[in-house]
């Protein structure tokens, strides 16, 4: 059996190093190649070869030699010029060697096309929500930009929930946006962008980022068994949010029940990273995505929902959740008890959205 071996060239490009790392994790063999005589990328590869620049008349002959010497079966290159050159040359020069990736520029452009498609689907009113529409959506490029940056932040905010959030902010009154449970900051990023786009108000992220509050007592214990690093998550949150906060976002590193009285009593929240942000004390949008045990969600609702202003929105994330029914039990009870104060509610992307009467 012939073993597959991929030549990575030029081996020092960031995408090449990422490819080599992934190949190592997958147990696939790679050979790094470079036109630099002293390439700092060399230690990242088990096997190494020198190749002249693609403009060198000897390039193809040298490549044939490297392919033979290392038994190379395929080539990865993130460089568009090299890719096009090889795409044209390989069928004749090395008919048994193929390119493993598609055109590097098209690959990148496709991710932007996906963002534009998402933006277009939003503005074509594909979201069948029974939501009173207020403000209109901004230009497509702005929607695409928010979506594109959101996609770059890892976390737990699916596409349907994203759509619903875009929609509900159009009818959110002016006021603060509060998130309980931010982790790496994915939904916080989206809330911050939507709040800015709709002129809603500043965002406050409430999360203790500690081990004690992570325990959910989920059915089957699968969630609690996951090896997580809350302190590391806080650092990732900062890295993700700092470039976008611009005086309109801050955090309280506390459990929600401890943070509620602080928020209620202080119009200004300060942190070393985000400085001081002024809040109105009235919540326009409350996103509850903390600990999903029934007791914790009930405590979040009791501590925060009374601060949501008329016409505001309450979101209970993971109302539909495979690991337990805390958000559902608490959400259903809220819907029943407060039905006279609720203008509309719906479930989308596993979250429950509730709009209070104005
Ligand atoms: C599901 S994650 C949040 C995901 C995040 N919203 C996102 O978009 O990726 C849950 C977060 O809730 C936080 N948390 C747990 N108990 C909490 C509590 N009592 N108050 C506030 N946050 C809490 C955890 O530290 C964790 O960061």
């Amino acid at each position: 059996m012939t073993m597959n071996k991929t030549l990575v060239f030029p081996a020092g490009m960031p995408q090449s190093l990422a490819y080599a790392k992934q190949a190592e994790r997958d147990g696939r063999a790679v050979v790094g190649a470079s036109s630099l005589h002293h390439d700092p990328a060399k230690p990242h590869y088990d096997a190494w070869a020198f190749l002249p620049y693609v403009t060198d008349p000897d390039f193809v002959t040298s490549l044939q030699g490297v392919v033979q010497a290392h038994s190379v079966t395929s080539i990865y290159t993130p460089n568009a010029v090299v890719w096009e050159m090889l795409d044209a040359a390989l069928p004749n020069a090395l008919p048994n060697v193929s390119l493993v990736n598609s055109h590097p520029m098209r690959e990148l452009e496709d991710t932007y096309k996906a963002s534009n498609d998402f933006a277009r689907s939003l503005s074509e009113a594909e979201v069948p929500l029974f939501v009173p529409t207020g403000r209109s959506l901004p230009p497509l490029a702005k929607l695409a930009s928010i979506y594109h940056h959101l996609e770059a932040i890892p976390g737990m905010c699916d596409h349907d929930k994203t759509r619903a959030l875009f929609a509900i902010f159009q009818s959110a009154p002016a006021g603060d946006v509060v998130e309980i449970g931010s982790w790496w900051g994915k939904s916080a990023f989206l809330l911050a962008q939507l709040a800015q786009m709709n002129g809603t108000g500043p965002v406050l992220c409430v999360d203790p980022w500690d081990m004690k509050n992570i325990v959910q007592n989920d059915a089957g214990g699968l969630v609690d068994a996951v090896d997580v690093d809350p302190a590391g998550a806080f650092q990732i949150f900062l890295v993700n949010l700092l470039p976008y906060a611009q005086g309109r976002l801050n955090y309280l590193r506390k459990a929600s029940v401890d943070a509620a009285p602080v928020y209620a009593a202080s119009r200004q929240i300060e942190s070393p990273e985000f400085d001081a942000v002024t809040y109105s004390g009235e919540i326009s949008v409350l996103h509850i995505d903390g600990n999903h045990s029934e007791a914790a969600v009930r405590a979040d609702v009791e501590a925060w929902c009374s601060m949501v202003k008329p016409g505001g929105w309450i979101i209970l994330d993971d109302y539909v959740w495979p690991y337990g029914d805390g958000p559902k039990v608490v959400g259903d009870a809220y819907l029943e008890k407060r039905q006279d104060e609720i203008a509309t509610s719906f479930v989308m992307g596993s979250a429950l959205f509730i709009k209070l009467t104005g």
Side-chain angles (χ1 to χ4, degrees):
M1 201 179 79
T2 336
M3 196 182 135
N4 289 328
K5 200 179 270 184
T6 305
L7 182 80
V8 181
F9 175 74
M13 286 177 72
Q15 302 96 315
S16 297
L17 292 167
Y19 183 88
K21 203 167 196 171
Q22 188 58 48
E24 192 185 342
R25 284 194 205 109
D26 298 345
R28 290 180 284 114
V30 294
V31 184
S34 171
S35 308
L36 304 178
H37 287 284
H38 300 285
D39 193 320
K42 192 175 172 185
H44 296 275
Y45 294 84
D46 288 338
W48 189 257
F50 173 83
L51 279 173
Y53 288 119
V54 283
T55 45
D56 191 304
D58 288 336
F59 176 79
V60 171
T61 317
S62 300
L63 179 66
Q64 286 167 325
V66 169
V67 163
Q68 198 181 21
H70 291 271
S71 308
V72 166
T73 53
S74 56
I75 301 177
Y76 170 82
T77 180
N79 182 305
V81 175
V82 175
W83 191 95
E84 289 200 7
M85 188 270 177
L86 290 174
D87 190 47
L90 287 181
N92 283 329
L94 290 159
N96 297 323
V97 175
S98 54
L99 282 159
V100 290
N101 57 318
S102 48
H103 195 295
M105 283 186 171
R106 300 295 92 75
E107 268 180 12
L108 271 174
E109 287 160 2
D110 282 351
T111 67
Y112 288 87
K113 279 197 188 113
S115 301
N116 281 328
D117 289 347
F118 184 86
R120 216 168 291 116
S121 75
L122 282 176
S123 64
E124 282 164 3
E126 260 186 22
V127 188
L129 300 183
F130 303 105
V131 173
T133 49
R135 292 171 282 279
S136 53
L137 284 168
L140 275 184
K142 197 161 184 178
L143 299 174
S145 167
I146 294 175
Y147 178 81
H148 200 82
H149 288 256
L150 177 68
E151 286 292 273
I153 299 178
M156 304 110 192
C157 188
D158 62 59
H159 290 164
D160 281 340
K161 182 175 162 189
T162 300
R163 277 171 195 287
L165 285 169
F166 268 96
I168 67 149
F169 265 84
Q170 287 177 265
S171 69
D176 305 332
V177 176
V178 174
E179 172 166 87
I180 296 168
S182 296
W183 194 239
W184 292 326
K186 187 174 182 78
S187 52
F189 164 81
L190 182 57
L191 294 175
Q193 294 297 315
L194 294 175
Q196 193 198 347
M197 190 170 96
N198 291 282
T200 315
V203 176
L204 179 65
C205 297
V206 175
D207 197 312
W209 287 285
D210 68 6
M211 219 48 205
K212 190 175 116 217
N213 285 276
I214 289 282
V215 180
Q216 321 243 359
N217 296 314
D218 60 298
L222 289 174
V223 176
D224 283 344
V226 175
D227 180 18
V228 289
D229 173 14
F234 174 60
Q235 295 307 320
I236 294 173
F237 166 84
L238 295 177
V239 169
N240 283 333
L241 269 300
L242 273 166
Y244 302 106
Q246 294 176 5
R248 293 185 297 267
L249 181 141
N250 220 325
Y251 68 88
L252 280 171
R253 192 171 182 178
K254 291 176 181 303
S256 83
V257 286
D258 300 327
V262 177
Y263 168 77
S266 11
R267 295 292 46 83
Q268 223 179 47
I269 308 265
E270 283 188 50
S271 67
E273 301 84 1
F274 296 96
D275 302 325
V277 177
T278 304
Y279 294 89
S280 69
E282 288 191 311
I283 301 175
S284 163
V285 177
L286 173 64
H287 179 222
I288 300 180
D289 190 13
N291 188 307
H292 294 340
S293 74
E294 189 183 322
V297 186
R298 185 168 295 113
D300 294 341
V301 165
E302 281 170 6
W304 288 90
C305 285
S306 60
M307 292 188 271
V308 178
K309 67 189 287 192
W313 284 93
I314 297 166
I315 305 147
L316 281 185
D317 195 55
D318 291 323
Y319 174 83
V320 183
W321 201 46
Y323 312 107
D325 59 1
K328 181 161 192 332
V329 170
V330 177
D332 287 347
Y334 190 92
L335 290 174
E336 201 181 320
K337 202 165 150 200
R338 304 294 176 115
Q339 49 186 286
D340 295 344
E341 300 157 39
I342 294 171
T344 187
S345 68
F346 61 89
V347 176
M348 193 160 164
S350 81
L352 171 66
F353 293 80
I354 302 170
K355 183 172 173 64
L356 302 182
T357 49

